[in-house]
Amino acid sequence: MSFFAELKRRNVFRVGIAYVLVAWIVLQGIDFLVDLIDAPAWVLQIFFAAAAIGLLSVLIFSWVFEMTPEGLKKERDIDRDRSIAPQTGRKLDRVIIAFLAIAVVVLLVERFSQPARIDEPVASARSTSPTADSAEAPTNAPPKKSLAVLPFVALSNGPDDEFFADGLTEEILNSLAQLPELRVTARTSAFAFKGQDLPVQEIGETLGVGHVVEGSVRRAGERLRVTAQLVQAEDGFHLWSKNYDRDYGDTIAIQEDIAEQIAAALDVVMDEGKRDSMRRVGLRDPAAFIAWQKGTLAAQIAHGTVDQIPGLLEANAHFEEVLEHAPDYAPAWVAHSDPYGHILNDSATGESSLDDVPESMVNTALQMAANDLAKAAEHATGLDERAGAELDLAILTGDFYDIRRRLEAYLASEGCDHAQWVDPVATVFGFAEQVIDRLGHVTACDPLWSTVVFSRARAALWNGQTERARDIIAMVREQSSHPWLDLIQVRSYIIDGQLESARAEIDQARSMDPFWRKQNALMLAAASGDRDNMTRLVELAYEDGSRSGFFDLQFHAMSGDREAANRVAARIDQDAYGPLPLILIINWCMCGAPFDLEATPNLAAEIAEGGLPWPPAEIINFPLKQW
């Protein structure tokens, strides 16, 4: 008799299958209890190891012994003619069937009783994000393994010490974000608390995290003293803390150790694969991450001004330094492309903001932006990041072939990365609901990223959900002074026909630039059908002698001057980059088609190539506009 046949005769296979089913069911119960009492992950691992060892023991036991009517005997002492192994096998078959049924029931209970995990998503700055609605409807209990890394405090006052502290913080954050077990709040939201002496409980509640990482950095010549601590947000209990007294050259080693120690304190089981993932991200070069912090700050300041290009070009000088040290850092390529996009928009719409920009830069802006986005796609570390860069590149260069499928695929993703040009294009051409969902994942990772919150709220307006738009911006208005959030509030009231509420919002908006205040007042006058007031407001907006095709076109459309609107639109369309600015104007106007498509043949060709709908939806009804 073969060895396989002998194993079968002695019921070794049946015993093994029965044992595996019983062990699996028992481990499910232990797993439930481990979660219930919040026990460390190693508890379940010990039970699993014991079960694996037990399987080997049971198999050996079933080979050596046999159950007989007289009790347990060694198999070698039993007469084959008197063996009851076949009867025992049939009993084991019934046992296997019974426990298999129990296992199926357990699986079904898990499958259909599992709640939508809005409160415990797995997220990171560059990994799968939480569900889209979690940022809009936070739960009382944050995920157990969630944290925010707050900017480390610079205790020395060297010229770059604060940027160094911020850079070290972001490197730690990026490393922790690679661990799928952790949900890590992204940089924009974590850094929103810089310089604020707030209780960790309040910070944890605002960001929806269970833990906060704090620290400080003191630099004296080539010596560093870094202090880091992991604090439980609910009660301020310190789970871990450590001081590092090292040389400046040990910066990366310090960062790696802090990230690993924090992960271990949160019961993340580390292996070489996870450590390798953590090492592959970020800049890993103090000079590079100092330059990145300088560029990020300059770009942030620039985006809060009306004339953004000078500040963005200043930021680019720092991003170029980053790329000298780290030419494969995709976020720096994306950031470096930003001012060229603004130059292209302003050039196509005839803005006066280009007066101080060299003509050679204006002429090569499209090539520069396209090159930057191509580099960003080439060096992207994740599929969503690469898809976003490639889609932005296609929109920027007017490659609308198969654009619907590409938009649908990107908007269905759940990453934390955010493309620059996708949102306005997708919103205009009927994807508003998908934009809301997609940006919900981004804001769940980075809840205080005000420009993304603005884009999501604007998509809600396009989707006819004014109350939802107000709810979205309400989450960040206390922490952010970005003027565009006030724009959403004003426009939501105009759409609802609450013109007095819109007027009161314009008067009391704390962060609205005078230029934007006039633009909102212009839209309110248009919604009231007050042509005389509209004309007066336009003259006030351009009292410094500057003109803007971007706002001229909206003014003509809202005031009902179809011929003038078509004339401005045709001029913009003739620019090599013209179609995208026209889409952006549609997105801002919310007035349906601000011009006739026949007046813009280049845009018409892109819309036809992409199979996109026309005309766009009319979100705000302006009485003077009759088409």
Side-chain angles (χ1 to χ4, degrees), residues 524-535 624:
L524 179 59
S528 305
D530 189 346
R531 191 190 305 272
D532 291 340
N533 196 25
M534 289 179 67
T535 302
L624 299 175

Side-chain angles (χ1 to χ4, degrees), residues 294-564:
K294 291 180 178 180
T296 301
L297 178 61
Q300 179 182 348
I301 294 172
H303 279 121
T305 62
V306 175
D307 186 6
Q308 301 178 8
I309 292 175
L312 293 176
L313 291 176
E314 176 188 340
N316 257 17
H318 299 299
F319 295 140
E320 286 162 9
E321 184 180 351
V322 173
L323 292 169
E324 288 178 9
H325 293 274
D328 58 350
Y329 191 57
W333 286 110
V334 173
H336 192 264
S337 74
D338 191 30
Y340 302 119
H342 286 273
I343 289 171
L344 289 167
N345 276 315
D346 289 3
S347 175
T349 55
E351 307 285 334
S352 60
S353 60
L354 298 179
D355 292 346
D356 297 326
V357 178
E359 185 177 354
S360 59
M361 184 177 290
V362 176
N363 294 336
T364 60
L366 182 57
Q367 177 185 343
M368 295 292 292
N371 177 71
D372 286 349
L373 290 174
K375 289 286 189 181
E378 176 186 350
H379 298 299
T381 57
L383 294 177
D384 288 340
E385 188 180 26
R386 179 175 294 109
E390 290 175 345
L391 192 50
D392 268 346
L393 178 60
I395 292 171
L396 189 78
T397 57
D399 178 13
F400 273 43
Y401 175 74
D402 204 23
I403 194 73
R404 287 187 65 89
R405 182 196 62 80
R406 297 177 69 180
L407 284 172
E408 288 169 354
Y410 179 75
L411 293 173
S413 66
E414 299 181 353
C416 298
D417 299 295
H418 177 239
Q420 291 179 299
W421 303 111
V422 171
D423 304 337
V425 173
T427 300
V428 164
F429 293 114
F431 294 92
E433 182 64 38
Q434 292 93 322
V435 171
I436 297 170
D437 291 343
R438 176 68 180 81
L439 295 185
H441 293 290
V442 179
T443 53
C445 303
D446 206 347
L448 301 183
W449 193 349
S450 55
T451 53
V452 175
V453 171
F454 161 77
S455 293
R456 188 173 187 232
R458 183 169 60 180
L461 294 183
W462 271 87
N463 208 39
Q465 298 172 299
T466 52
E467 191 64 37
R468 186 179 189 183
R470 289 193 284 267
D471 287 343
I472 289 171
I473 65 170
M475 301 294 294
V476 300
R477 284 189 92 192
E478 290 302 316
Q479 287 81 26
S480 174
S481 60
H482 200 291
W484 289 359
L485 300 178
D486 295 328
L487 300 184
I488 292 296
Q489 194 84 351
V490 171
R491 294 185 181 206
S492 71
Y493 288 136
I494 291 176
I495 294 169
D496 285 345
Q498 301 177 28
L499 302 188
E500 288 306 315
S501 295
R503 183 172 289 108
E505 187 68 30
I506 294 172
D507 291 340
Q508 68 186 16
R510 57 190 171 84
S511 60
M512 197 176 294
D513 183 275
F515 181 80
W516 284 108
R517 194 179 299 276
K518 294 170 187 175
Q519 298 303 322
N520 273 280
L522 174 64
M523 180 167 280
L524 179 59
S528 305
D530 189 346
R531 191 190 305 272
D532 291 340
N533 196 25
M534 289 179 67
T535 302
R536 181 184 65 82
L537 289 167
V538 166
E539 291 173 352
L540 285 174
Y542 297 142
E543 60 188 1
D544 60 355
S546 64
R547 299 295 300 180
S548 167
F550 190 89
F551 291 109
D552 274 348
L553 179 49
Q554 294 181 67
F555 166 71
H556 294 314
M558 291 186 296
S559 63
D561 192 339
R562 191 170 191 169
E563 182 180 347

Side-chain angles (χ1 to χ4, degrees), residues 32-150:
F32 174 78
L33 291 174
V34 166
D35 280 344
L36 190 65
I37 65 176
D38 199 19
W42 56 261
V43 174
L44 182 61
Q45 292 167 359
I46 289 175
F47 279 101
F48 182 84
I53 295 171
L55 174 61
L56 180 61
S57 302
V58 166
L59 293 176
I60 294 173
F61 190 88
S62 64
W63 170 266
V64 174
F65 295 95
E66 180 181 330
M67 179 62 69
T68 71
E70 292 81 24
L72 199 64
K73 292 184 178 182
K74 287 185 178 181
E75 199 282 334
R76 68 187 179 190
D77 297 334
I78 299 173
D79 186 344
R80 291 289 178 89
D81 294 334
R82 300 182 61 187
S83 173
I84 63 168
Q87 297 92 314
T88 304
R90 287 190 289 273
K91 292 179 181 178
L92 284 170
D93 287 340
R94 290 193 288 271
V95 171
I96 289 171
I97 292 171
F99 279 102
L100 187 60
I102 295 172
V104 170
V105 170
V106 171
L107 286 172
L108 290 174
V109 169
E110 283 189 348
R111 171 66 179 85
F112 292 106
S113 66
Q114 181 83 12
R117 295 178 69 83
I118 290 178
D119 60 330
E120 271 196 338
V122 175
S124 72
R126 297 193 190 157
S127 62
T128 304
S129 74
T131 57
D133 287 332
S134 61
E136 200 170 318
T139 60
N140 291 328
K144 298 173 184 175
K145 295 185 179 181
S146 59
L147 71 155
V149 185
L150 302 184

